[in-house]
Amino acid sequence: MRKNSERVQTYGNPIIKNIILEVITLMLKKARIIGTGSAVPQRILTNKELEDIVDTSDKWITRRTGIKERRICSKKLGESTTVLARQACLNAMEMAGVSPQSIDMIVIGTVTSDRMFPSTACMVQEALEIEDIPAFDVSAGCSGFIFALTVANNAIRCGTSKRILVAGVERLSSIVNWEDRGTCVLLADGAGAVVLDSTTEEEGILSTHIKSDGTAGKLLYSADGNPYTPEILQDILDKKPFHLKMDGHRLFKRAINCLTSIAKEAMEHNSLSSKDIALVVPHQANIRIIQGLAKNLRIPMEKIYTNIEKYGNTSSASIPIAMDEANRKGLIMSGGYALLVTFGAGLTWASAILKWSI
Ligand code: COA
């Protein structure tokens, strides 16, 4: 491959040559993942244990969702959104061989920050002792990680950042209604992170696609927050805590359709077919949704990474946790194409294609 300086050797004027070189470098600039990390709570909550909490069974949960167990934060152990996010970021930086001080931006996808503000990203920045860099959260439901990755990718491509921590982290156990068997058996806690670095090679994040449809927001929402809406006032009158609410049945088909369309859009954008994809890392909401996606894309399940049986649905953390596991198992070879694809509250849905280069 020709070097950028060789491409402009025909231009004699050194000033023009430098300008052209800078423009070409900016045009070629991409972001690539140089490290992945994850962290999950110690406490394992099994389907069997849930049988004592709500009217459900291990058989129903396994058959209808693919989940066998999930991780739940323990206050006693000091686990929180920030603690998990910090550990996932440290693990990603350790793999990348970089120090916290070399990071120039932190972007975190989450809907379960420990506080309404400051953001989880700012609390992680403090925990990692990184000074004077931008740190902020992105709220996009289960699509939070790919939305955050998109923001970070754009910051590197336009040259405003060089090395960014991107994470997805949730503590859904804090907003789940533990009396609602339709949701409490699905949702859980965890964190995943990546270190993004800039590159001018043909590798890394080739594209991201992100979409939202606010008109369907009522299919999955948390009544928490300001200002007080009529629904929240009704909750107060009914003396119910403010919990996550979901119309799972209506979301199911919508999830498969959105995941399929945005995965196809990503492949078409890069002139890739299903056969070119080495590994799909989908959001882990329900094994039947993932199987529906695989069928629509004509991709065998062996090429789709799943760990839903161990962790349930950890929202914006599910893709970076799965990606970290797949990476550490050596399932994504350097030079192979990975497809990330997700769907969540908002509604939101998103995809990314990476040419793996760790
Ligand atoms: N244990 C036992 N029975 C349960 C149950 C549980 N945990 N949860 C629901 N049921 C019951 C329902 O009450 C219903 O009973 P009924 O027929 O007597 O009314 C029956 O199971 C079927 O309910 P349904 O909602 O149709 O089940 P389902 O097969 O659609 O599975 C979900 C429910 C939530 C697992 C599934 O719809 C889903 O995964 N939806 C999408 C979730 C999603 O994508 N979320 C957003 C993105 S993160």
Side-chain angles (χ1 to χ4, degrees):
M1 196 173 163
R2 280 202 304 164
K3 284 195 179 133
N4 295 341
S5 53
E6 288 166 9
R7 286 194 175 96
V8 290
Q9 66 188 359
T10 46
Y11 295 89
N13 185 324
I15 297 174
I16 293 178
K17 189 174 162 177
N18 278 342
I19 292 171
I20 293 173
L21 197 60
E22 269 182 36
V23 171
I24 289 176
T25 306
L26 199 60
M27 280 167 65
L28 292 176
K29 208 166 252 177
K30 285 194 170 54
R32 74 181 185 110
I33 293 174
I34 58 168
T36 62
S38 56
V40 293
Q42 286 182 41
R43 166 87 164 95
I44 296 173
L45 181 66
T46 63
N47 289 350
K48 274 266 163 239
E49 286 175 280
L50 277 169
E51 289 178 0
D52 296 333
I53 300 173
V54 282
D55 181 14
T56 191
S57 66
D58 173 38
K59 195 171 157 203
W60 190 95
I61 303 170
T62 307
R63 207 155 46 88
R64 305 305 293 162
T65 72
I67 302 167
K68 292 296 288 180
E69 59 187 40
R70 72 284 293 138
R71 302 296 181 108
I72 301 295
C73 278
S74 150
K75 246 189 185 168
K76 234 197 250 165
L77 296 173
E79 291 167 333
S80 66
T81 301
T82 310
V83 166
L84 292 181
R86 173 185 173 274
Q87 193 54 53
C89 288
L90 282 172
N91 293 345
M93 286 187 289
E94 188 186 27
M95 180 186 287
V98 302
S99 71
Q101 284 64 42
S102 70
I103 300 294
D104 60 18
M105 190 190 271
I106 304 174
V107 193
I108 295 189
T110 186
V111 292
T112 47
S113 214
D114 290 324
R115 302 210 175 102
M116 182 116 48
F117 58 88
S119 65
T120 296
C122 282
M123 290 195 271
V124 169
Q125 177 191 12
E126 183 201 17
L128 295 174
E129 299 177 14
I130 309 173
E131 285 177 10
D132 295 342
I133 59 161
F136 54 94
D137 291 353
V138 170
S139 169
C142 301
S143 307
F145 177 74
I146 299 185
F147 273 59
L149 193 73
T150 302
V151 173
N153 181 37
N154 290 341
I156 286 180
R157 285 182 96 113
C158 72
T160 55
S161 290
K162 287 201 172 87
R163 185 172 289 163
I164 306 181
L165 269 176
V166 185
V169 51
E170 301 292 0
R171 189 163 57 100
L172 295 170
S173 60
S174 66
I175 59 164
V176 152
N177 179 355
W178 288 98
E179 290 175 2
D180 174 16
R181 66 178 181 175
T183 51
C184 76
V185 304
L186 307 172
L187 305 168
D189 307 340
V194 299
V195 181
L196 282 192
D197 212 25
S198 83
T199 176
T200 51
E201 300 300 319
E202 195 50 37
E203 61 184 4
I205 301 175
L206 301 188
S207 68
T208 64
H209 288 82
I210 56 174
K211 291 200 178 160
S212 307
D213 173 13
T215 64
K218 285 242 166 82
L219 294 181
L220 175 55
Y221 68 98
S222 157
D224 261 323
N226 286 318
Y228 284 108
T229 60
E231 290 96 330
I232 293 175
L233 285 174
Q234 194 56 54
D235 276 351
I236 294 169
L237 292 174
D238 293 346
K239 292 198 169 54
K240 278 188 220 145
F242 311 146
H243 287 139
L244 176 145
K245 297 189 170 113
M246 180 175 87
D247 184 339
H249 196 67
R250 283 178 65 198
L251 278 173
F252 190 87
K253 220 171 165 185
R254 186 84 195 253
I256 297 178
N257 290 341
C258 288
L259 289 164
T260 303
S261 67
I262 207 145
K264 284 187 174 168
E265 196 173 339
M267 289 190 286
E268 277 162 26
H269 181 86
N270 292 289
S271 306
L272 296 173
S273 75
S274 295
K275 286 196 179 115
D276 298 316
I277 302 297
L279 193 73
V280 182
V281 185
H283 172 46
Q284 314 280 315
N286 186 320
I287 194 69
R288 292 184 296 129
I289 292 177
I290 296 173
Q291 286 161 346
L293 171 72
K295 191 169 161 228
N296 288 348
L297 296 182
R298 295 172 199 270
I299 294 185
M301 280 302 284
E302 303 79 69
K303 279 169 76 175
I304 302 199
Y305 192 79
T306 62
N307 59 7
I308 191 168
E309 70 285 358
K310 284 194 297 180
Y311 303 125
N313 178 350
T314 56
S315 187
S316 62
S318 87
I319 286 182
I321 292 174
M323 195 162 54
D324 181 45
E325 276 193 2
N327 182 32
R328 284 173 197 267
K329 287 179 183 169
L331 295 178
I332 321 179
M333 294 298 167
S334 196
Y337 294 107
L339 165 65
L340 316 182
V341 59
T342 189
F343 172 84
L347 300 178
T348 56
W349 57 109
S351 62
I353 299 245
L354 317 176
K355 191 168 182 193
W356 204 251
S357 60
I358 293 188

